[in-house]
Amino acid sequence: IPLLQRVLAMSKRPLLLFASPWTAPAWMRSNGDVRGKGTLKGKAGDKYHKTWANYFIKFLDEYAKRNVTFWAVTAQNEPLAGLFTPPQAPTVAFTAAQQRDFIAQDLGPALARSHHRTKLLMLDDQRIHLPHWAKVVLGNATAARYVAGLAVHWYLDAIVPPGCSLEATHKLFPDHFLLYTEACTGFFMFR
């Protein structure tokens, strides 16, 4: 927080920060641990999902108390990684349908009820999942009204051409922006 405050004070223009969760607390997860393969316990609309959505609001509240506001949050960082993650990686698995239901029933309404004007981004995973993921989530009118855009990672870009993923998704859902949210070099050790 002190570092963010310094950067915000030094910036000549407003910075648009976004946050993306890695994992829910262990007691909310199906495997009872913050690491490894696991989902949120239960299903959308239940106490676990509502509580996890309220964690987002509490996070935004606590940062706002320190004059740090977020332009956007993502529903989950790499939601499919939770299905095949190494044992020590912290993550929560969501399928597209599970993310849709969490957004429609829990996270979207929680953000809308809050005083924060924070946007909600969906997917936050590889573009190889497009346009399927967008069709599932944004094809639902309730979920779609809460989602501002799609967060995309670049690691597997060589597998799927942008026309088949990004362009196809944009044509289907032109009112929702596409934003690359994660990238790094050295991901493939053999390169």
Side-chain angles (χ1 to χ4, degrees), residues 21-58:
W22 277 84
T23 187
W27 68 268
M28 287 186 194
R29 290 178 31 103
S30 62
N31 69 347
D33 194 334
V34 296
R35 298 162 299 177
K37 296 176 183 162
T39 62
L40 286 179
K41 290 179 181 176
K43 59 182 183 172
D46 71 10
K47 67 180 182 178
Y48 297 104
H49 288 72
K50 297 239 179 278
T51 301
W52 183 227
N54 288 331
Y55 265 63
F56 283 72
I57 307 308
K58 185 69 171 172

Side-chain angles (χ1 to χ4, degrees), residues 20-21 46 60 76 86 92 94 107 114 122 124-125 139 158 163 182 187:
S20 187
D46 71 10
L60 295 170
Q76 175 62 43
V92 175
F94 279 99
L107 185 54
S114 79
M122 56 162 280
D124 207 15
D125 210 330
E182 185 179 319
F187 171 69

Side-chain angles (χ1 to χ4, degrees), residues 115-133:
H115 66 278
H116 303 286
R117 300 290 54 103
T118 306
K119 297 182 183 314
L120 177 58
L121 308 181
M122 56 162 280
L123 184 57
D124 207 15
D125 210 330
Q126 312 309 315
R127 80 173 190 212
I128 194 170
H129 305 302
L130 295 175
H132 167 73
W133 201 280

Side-chain angles (χ1 to χ4, degrees), residues 139-160:
N140 177 283
T142 303
R145 79 168 183 243
Y146 294 119
V147 174
L150 292 85
V152 184
H153 297 182
W154 81 333
Y155 305 108
L156 302 176
D157 279 4
I159 296 172
V160 176

Side-chain angles (χ1 to χ4, degrees), residues 4-19:
L4 283 173
Q5 289 170 331
R6 285 176 50 203
V7 169
L8 291 166
M10 291 170 50
S11 179
K12 293 185 182 351
R13 60 182 183 172
L15 297 179
L16 301 178
L17 303 176
F18 80 93

